[in-house]
Amino acid sequence: NVPPPVVELDGLTKRYGDLTALDAVTLDIRAGEIFALLGPNGAGKTTLIGCVSGLVIPTAGTARVLGRDTQREYRETRRVVGLVPQEINFDPFFTVEETLRFQAGYFGVKLSEARLAEILDALDLGRKRKAGTRELSGGMKRRLLIGKALVHDPKVLFLDEPTAGVDVELRRDLWKYVRRLRDQGTTVVLTTHYLEEAEALADRIGMIDRGKLLLVEEKAALMRRLGRRTLRLQLAE
Ligand code: ATP
């Protein structure tokens, strides 16, 4: 009873000159799961997200989202994929609502009042609707960044190191929102170099290093098999 894959990678490879940023990655991501791609800096996580979302052109192999080739059908891909970048990138002089409306305009979609309310509600930003984004706390800014990626109601949400450089308390708080989105039916793929983040959030974990996908496993099984200490050691190598 395995649900159909939302994301299918087949031999996905990206080279920059002599450097292989992604090395023949083959992977299925299932509907409704949180998949964590765990790996150190420079492992190829951002490149993988770029290839899947159509922003980076692979050297070889294919990436499909909902059965569509993300390179050949990048316009359709864009409509079903939500992308949360590492860096906060909204206008400090916009309000929360303006930020979301502007993003919807950018996507060419009409943001209904109902959808706007849904996003604000899911991210507990309703009370800040009319606040300027520069007045938001760090956690709220991170949540608004996620909200921006939701305006066109994507089927799969990619978060690129959503809590990099964020303190522990705030990180835990953000996890709550990521789970909430998954519980509401969005498939979530996140990259991280924090083991505890993968452990806290993921249904399945993929470990990537130097462009190679080293293993993919159910989180629970991986934790049982390796134990935290071993996993940490493997990552530190
Ligand atoms: P980080 O955690 O630092 O974001 P990452 O796992 O996301 O790391 P990538 O950003 O995908 O890793 O980078 C993988 C490798 O590809 C790195 O060695 C990086 O320097 C290299 N790389 C990425 N983009 C380019 C580019 N446009 N030109 C040349 N090399 C690149």
Side-chain angles (χ1 to χ4, degrees):
N1 260 2
V2 179
V6 173
V7 179
E8 298 162 86
L9 312 183
D10 189 6
L12 195 65
T13 300
K14 179 66 184 179
R15 291 191 202 95
Y16 294 106
D18 289 343
L19 185 133
T20 303
L22 272 186
D23 196 351
V25 172
T26 296
L27 169 69
D28 284 352
I29 290 165
R30 302 167 188 158
E33 74 174 337
I34 298 182
F35 187 93
L37 193 62
L38 181 64
N41 287 336
K45 304 183 297 296
T46 304
T47 305
L48 186 143
I49 288 189
C51 287
V52 179
S53 55
L55 297 174
V56 173
I57 302 174
T59 312
T62 55
R64 291 175 176 278
V65 172
L66 298 177
R68 291 195 158 120
D69 186 294
T70 62
Q71 295 301 314
R72 276 184 291 144
E73 299 177 83
Y74 62 90
R75 283 177 211 279
E76 291 77 8
T77 300
R78 192 168 174 266
R79 264 187 243 131
V80 293
V81 165
L83 203 55
V84 184
Q86 277 179 32
E87 303 298 327
I88 284 169
N89 62 359
F90 41 75
D91 191 308
F93 300 107
F94 275 12
T95 65
V96 167
E97 178 174 345
E98 283 165 349
T99 303
L100 296 173
R101 290 199 181 283
F102 184 80
Q103 184 70 10
Y106 175 73
F107 263 96
V109 296
K110 174 116 184 57
L111 187 61
S112 68
E113 182 56 37
R115 180 67 189 151
L116 177 63
E118 208 171 74
I119 294 170
L120 292 172
D121 191 44
L123 299 168
D124 287 341
L125 286 170
R127 280 190 307 121
K128 292 289 173 184
R129 183 173 176 149
K130 303 287 181 201
T133 63
R134 61 183 177 159
E135 297 158 32
L136 300 179
S137 69
M140 287 172 185
K141 283 186 178 135
R142 291 265 143 209
R143 270 139 60 194
L144 181 56
L145 199 60
I146 297 174
K148 274 184 68 186
L150 295 172
V151 291
H152 59 300
D153 204 4
K155 296 287 171 278
V156 51
L157 186 65
F158 289 91
L159 301 124
D160 197 3
E161 300 194 25
T163 66
V166 165
D167 69 47
V168 180
E169 202 176 321
L170 199 57
R171 190 176 301 154
R172 299 225 160 104
D173 191 50
L174 279 165
W175 294 345
K176 184 175 82 191
Y177 294 96
V178 175
R179 282 197 206 98
R180 193 183 277 182
L181 293 171
R182 188 267 315 269
D183 293 346
Q184 291 173 355
T186 307
T187 305
V188 177
V189 183
L190 67 101
T191 71
T192 183
H193 53 248
Y194 299 117
L195 172 62
E196 67 269 28
E197 184 154 281
E199 194 181 357
L201 278 182
D203 300 302
R204 288 193 305 149
I205 295 177
M207 278 169 65
I208 188 168
D209 193 17
R210 277 168 268 178
K212 281 202 165 69
L213 192 63
L214 303 176
L215 66 85
V216 175
E217 215 168 316
E218 300 285 339
K219 188 251 316 274
L222 184 66
M223 292 303 173
R224 261 198 315 274
R225 192 162 63 78
L226 294 178
R228 293 184 60 103
R229 266 188 59 220
T230 327
L231 192 53
R232 245 193 217 123
L233 283 174
Q234 286 208 342
L235 284 172
E237 265 171 20

